[in-house]
């Protein structure tokens, strides 16, 4: 019995979620009285650092064809690695890669799986874990009844914790099937943290009146080094790109700080953001529903308040 | 192309969520159900557009009891040709995927479409499972898709960017915002939907791997602290020393 963490990477670098998954794997190993191993695929810089987060062994399947992600190939390789290492709990991050791999592994191994878990397992009379359901409106506890279990860990929920030191990376030989997907182009938006990983988020809605007014939002985000988001209508009418749309039918996020500016706080919007650790709401309508979900509220015209906030932040940063 | 679109039924997005039986059962009292928005707005509509462009058929599949027929009829009203309902309340994502894969195996679809996730259990697991069961590629979170012959070019969102992939049929694809524009069924669609074939098939046996033990509602927020809009230094100060987020 052991835990195997598939530590996902992009462009040769471990993702933040990979460190979180290893931290989760380590803590789960302690609960189950076993060890956590990590496996990385393709060329990955400094994979040995996963030892710091509690992986007692780090394995690499260094086949260059694994540099392009294909969930079908990854699931086959991770399933074989789990067999070779005698691992019966497989953990990964709940990012775009992890989400695809979890379902595939579950089907391949006839394993119970749960994606986006937000609690460590409890083991009194079974194996129980929790996750958000109804887009964050509730939490459900699930029992995984199969011998092999597959979990993906909700982002920004188990911050990476250093508990040991780096280990040397061992190579693992597993057959790598050929991918049937051809990657034609990859486009990355440089310099910003992707929304699902962001710790600070500045979000704006229809109260902004028009896309030409976003300068103050970008300035605020810049000062905080935050990622920008928006409400659905703002993305639908093309003021902002679709990938910024948060809520029940957009991206669900859980940052440490969510600043909502000119957003009313409709139930569908709140569903995707209400688990943010601290919520600041700026709205001129004191009756806006968002204030019920806020930690800090400012009733005022955003076109006055946001520039004032920007000035205060500049002063704070010195 | 011969296309299959998986549609599920979810509580309306305005639903107040509550539970009964000592927080072990979702309280369906007064809940309005809708077709999962990702299935309806993006997966189904893009499949219909491909059919309109290149010919073929669009079949809907739902795993669920007879009460789901209203959701299925809506999909037929939007334009699908026919539908299959596997007659069982699925216990898990695995159970859903298994029933759909069983049907799809026998039918040789060129592509299976579904929404990127459901808005109730938010698992995003079913598509990957179906693909594994059918041993075909899976492209998740598609935001753009064109097809020429038997090759599809699909853009998908990844963390901090996007990628463009090429894949040959058959495959499974999950739809995200941007893939298509929502269509509202018209009167003619609603009338003809009543006559379109809806086949009810018995389920196959699936292992019981995962079950829900209970639910809880997130902790209530404490009172909102109001800050003078003239005094943003105070907000900065609180975020720094009280909330400790900056
Ligand atoms: C099926 C379905 C799914 C949905 N999914 C989502 C989702 O995922 N995400 C989402 O966001 N929405 C979603 N919605 C839409 C949701 O119901 C709301 O319509 C939407 O969130 C409102 O966006 P908003 O707050 O930007 O705009 P509005 O509701 O128009 O609110 C604008 C706010 O700005 C304030 N304001 C205006 N001017 C100023 C000013 N000068 N200074 C300060 N404040 C000002 C107003 O007081 C108001 O509160 C969904 C709806 C449906 C039906």
């Amino acid at each position: 019995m052991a835990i195997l963490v598939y530590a996902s990477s992009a462009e040769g670098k471990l993702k933040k979620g990979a460190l979180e998954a290893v931290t989760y794997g380590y803590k789960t190993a302690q609960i189950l009285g076993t060890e956590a191993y990590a496996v990385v695929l393709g060329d990955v810089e400094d994979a040995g650092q996963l030892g710091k987060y509690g992986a007692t062994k780090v394995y690499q399947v260094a086949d260059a064809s694994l540099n392009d992600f294909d969930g079908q190939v990854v699931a086959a390789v991770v399933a074989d690695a789990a067999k070779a290492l005698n691992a019966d709990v497989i953990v990964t991050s709940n990012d775009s890669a992890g989400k695809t791999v979890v379902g595939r592994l579950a089907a391949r191994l006839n394993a119970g799986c749960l994606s986006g878990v937000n609690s460590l397992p409890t083991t009194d009379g079974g194996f129980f874990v929790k996750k958000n359901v109804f887009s964050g409106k509730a939490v459900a506890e699930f029992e995984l009844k199969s011998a092999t279990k597959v979990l993906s860990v909700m982002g920004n929920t188990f911050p990476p914790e250093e508990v040991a030191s780096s280990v040397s990376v061992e190579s693992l030989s597993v057959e790598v099937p050929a991918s049937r997907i051809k990657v034609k182009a990859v486009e990355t938006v440089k310099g910003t943290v992707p929304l699902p990983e962001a710790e600070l988020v500045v979000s704006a809605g229809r109260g902004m009146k028009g896309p030409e007014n976003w300068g103050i939002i970008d300035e605020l985000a810049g000062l905080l080094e935050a990622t920008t988001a928006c409400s659905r209508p703002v993305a639908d009418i093309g003021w902002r790109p679709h990938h910024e749309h948060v809520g029940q039918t957009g991206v669900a996020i859980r940052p440490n700080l969510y600043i909502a500016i000119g957003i009313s706080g409709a139930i569908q919007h709140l569903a995707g953001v209400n688990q943010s650790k601290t919520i600041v709401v700026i709205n001129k309508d004191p009756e806006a529903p968002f204030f019920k979900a806020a930690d800090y509220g400012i009733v005022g015209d955003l076109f006055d308040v946001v520039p004032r906030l920007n000035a205060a932040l500049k002063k704070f940063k010195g | 192309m011969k296309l299959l679109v998986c549609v599920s039924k979810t509580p309306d997005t305005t639903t107040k969520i509550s539970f009964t039986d000592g927080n072990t059962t979702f309280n369906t009292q007064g809940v309005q159900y809708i077709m999962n928005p990702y299935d309806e707005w993006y997966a189904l509509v893009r499949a219909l557009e491909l059919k309109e462009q290149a010919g073929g058929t669009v079949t809907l599949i739902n795993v669920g009891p007879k009460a789901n027929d209203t959701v299925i009829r809506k999909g037929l009203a939007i334009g699908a040709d026919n539908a299959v309902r596997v007659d069982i309340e699925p216990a898990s994502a695995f159970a859903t995927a298994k029933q759909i894969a069983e049907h799809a195996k026998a039918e040789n679809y060129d592509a299976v479409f579904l929404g990127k996730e459901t808005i109730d259990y938010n698992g995003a697991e079913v598509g990957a499972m179906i693909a594994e069961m059918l041993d075909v590629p899976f492209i998740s979170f598609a935001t753009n898709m064109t097809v020429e012959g038997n090759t599809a070019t699909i853009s998908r969102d990844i963390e901090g960017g996007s990628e463009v992939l090429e894949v040959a049929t058959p495959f499974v694809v999950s739809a995200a915002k941007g893939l298509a524009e929502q269509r509202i069924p018209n009167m003619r669609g609603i009338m003809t939907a009543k006559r379109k074939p809806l086949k009810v098939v018995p389920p196959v046996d699936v292992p019981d791997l995962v079950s829900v033990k209970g639910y809880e509602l997130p902790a209530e927020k404490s009172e909102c602290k109001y800050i003078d809009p003239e005094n943003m230094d105070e907000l900065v100060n609180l975020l720094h020393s009280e909330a400790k987020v900056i």
Side-chain angles (χ1 to χ4, degrees):
Chain A
M1 188 175 92
I3 290 170
L4 180 64
V5 181
Y6 158 50
S8 57
S9 54
E11 295 175 346
K13 294 202 172 54
L14 289 167
K15 294 194 196 173
K16 182 179 164 219
L19 310 187
E20 297 177 352
V22 172
T23 290
Y24 185 93
Y26 166 74
K27 292 186 172 183
T28 302
Q30 292 207 307
I31 291 168
L32 300 180
T34 178
E35 284 180 65
Y37 310 139
V39 62
V40 299
L41 306 185
D43 302 312
V44 179
E45 273 169 40
D46 195 16
Q49 62 166 309
L50 295 173
K52 287 197 247 175
Y53 305 98
T56 50
K57 286 179 184 296
V58 176
Y59 297 96
Q60 179 169 30
V61 183
D63 187 310
S65 71
L66 290 165
N67 291 342
D68 284 335
F69 173 84
D70 175 355
Q72 192 169 17
V73 176
V74 170
V77 170
V78 173
D80 283 356
K83 269 182 216 146
L85 300 168
N86 219 352
D88 50 8
V89 179
I90 305 176
V91 176
T92 189
S93 47
N94 194 43
D95 51 24
S96 60
K99 281 181 185 167
T100 341
V101 172
V102 166
R104 286 222 177 239
L105 280 172
R108 199 174 178 91
L109 302 170
N110 262 315
C113 74
L114 204 61
S115 56
V117 299
N118 63 7
S119 78
L120 289 167
T122 56
T123 53
D124 189 8
F127 185 98
F128 305 95
V129 260
K130 294 180 185 175
K131 68 167 281 191
N132 291 339
V133 291
F134 300 105
S135 304
K137 292 178 194 169
V139 177
E141 183 173 49
F142 292 81
E143 179 176 8
L144 271 57
K145 298 181 250 192
S146 50
T148 307
K149 301 165 184 76
V150 186
L151 304 173
S152 69
V153 182
M154 185 173 182
N156 219 20
T157 307
F158 295 91
E161 273 174 40
E162 292 193 24
V163 291
S165 31
S166 291
V167 296
S168 57
V169 178
E170 296 172 40
S171 89
L172 187 70
S173 125
V174 178
E175 195 197 325
V176 180
S179 174
R180 286 182 255 166
I181 295 177
K182 200 150 87 198
V183 179
K184 305 277 284 182
V186 180
E187 234 176 81
T188 43
V189 189
K190 291 270 181 266
T192 53
V193 183
L195 258 185
E197 290 176 13
E199 290 175 7
L200 306 175
V201 173
V202 173
S203 187
R206 212 145 55 175
M208 293 298 295
K209 310 268 188 294
E212 66 282 4
N213 297 328
W214 244 263
I216 50 173
I217 301 298
D218 288 332
E219 184 182 6
L220 174 56
L223 285 164
L224 290 169
E225 292 175 46
T227 302
T228 49
C230 68
S231 68
R232 175 172 158 217
V234 160
D236 282 356
I237 46 189
W239 292 0
R240 301 297 293 175
H242 284 314
H243 66 79
E244 281 196 4
H245 160 191
V246 290
Q248 189 161 14
T249 52
V251 187
I253 54 172
R254 190 185 191 173
N256 297 343
L257 174 63
Y258 184 74
I259 305 184
I261 300 165
I263 301 175
S264 57
I267 189 168
Q268 298 95 348
H269 185 86
L270 293 180
V273 303
N274 64 2
Q275 302 217 347
S276 307
K277 283 160 209 156
T278 300
I279 296 179
V280 176
V281 170
I282 301 173
N283 198 304
K284 69 174 182 190
D285 174 9
E287 302 296 325
F290 220 141
F291 286 116
K292 289 204 181 69
D295 298 282
Y296 302 107
I298 298 102
V299 180
D301 189 322
L302 69 92
F303 295 105
D304 299 330
V305 175
V306 177
R308 226 175 276 139
L309 174 57
N310 290 346
L313 275 169
K314 275 184 211 152
K315 203 163 84 191
F316 168 74
K317 294 177 76 167
Chain B
M1 295 178 91
K2 186 173 173 183
L3 304 175
L4 181 68
V5 182
C6 313
V7 294
S8 71
K9 191 185 79 170
T10 58
D12 179 85
T13 54
T14 56
T15 306
K16 269 249 177 248
I17 302 296
S18 66
F19 304 100
T20 56
D21 300 332
N23 278 341
T24 56
T25 311
F26 174 55
N27 183 3
T28 54
Q29 193 82 45
V31 173
Q32 293 279 345
Y33 285 94
I34 56 168
M35 196 188 306
N36 182 44
Y38 292 109
D39 302 342
E40 178 189 329
W41 300 347
Y42 313 125
L44 172 57
V45 175
R46 191 64 192 132
L48 291 171
E49 288 169 352
L50 291 175
K51 177 196 134 174
E52 285 155 9
Q53 174 198 319
T57 54
V58 173
T59 300
L60 299 176
I61 188 164
N62 171 265
V63 184
K66 180 151 182 42
N68 291 11
D69 285 353
T70 40
V71 160
I72 299 172
R73 290 284 172 207
K74 180 169 187 199
L76 293 170
I78 294 171
D81 298 291
N82 53 57
V84 176
R85 179 167 60 78
V86 185
D87 195 18
I88 186 171
E89 182 72 65
S92 64
F94 190 93
T96 309
K98 191 85 190 166
Q99 303 296 353
I100 294 172
E102 251 347 277
H103 164 81
K105 243 176 226 164
E107 293 287 337
N108 293 318
Y109 289 102
D110 293 306
V112 179
F113 285 69
L114 75 177
K116 72 162 187 171
E117 64 183 39
T118 57
I119 61 167
D120 50 7
Y121 287 91
N122 312 99
E125 293 158 9
V126 173
M129 288 175 175
I130 297 172
E132 190 68 25
M133 291 165 183
L134 297 176
D135 190 24
V136 300
F138 173 49
I139 288 128
S140 54
F141 316 122
T143 55
N144 188 52
M145 172 179 187
T146 54
V147 179
E148 226 158 288
N150 68 346
T151 306
T153 306
I154 300 175
S155 311
R156 69 189 286 262
D157 279 347
I158 50 174
E159 283 72 26
S162 60
E163 59 185 10
V164 182
L165 308 171
E166 204 176 83
V167 64
T169 58
F171 58 83
V172 178
V173 60
S174 85
K177 188 174 184 184
L179 189 66
E181 296 278 343
Q182 181 182 5
R183 282 188 187 179
I184 311 291
N186 58 26
M187 210 49 200
R188 202 176 144 264
I190 295 168
M191 296 312 290
T192 52
K194 293 187 183 139
R195 295 190 302 272
K196 287 179 178 170
L198 192 175
K199 193 166 86 183
V200 179
V201 300
V204 293
D205 281 339
V206 290
D208 174 25
L209 303 172
V210 181
S211 62
V212 177
K213 284 287 127 186
Y215 297 93
E216 53 198 79
L217 293 171
E220 289 272 331
K221 274 270 172 191
S222 50
E223 278 290 289
C224 172
K225 202 179 256 185
Y226 285 94
I227 293 155
D228 179 358
E230 304 284 336
N231 191 355
M232 285 301 99
D233 290 330
E234 190 193 347
L235 176 64
V236 171
N237 197 16
L238 287 169
L239 292 178
H240 177 64
S241 50
E242 188 178 77
K244 299 191 167 58
V245 288
I246 62 170

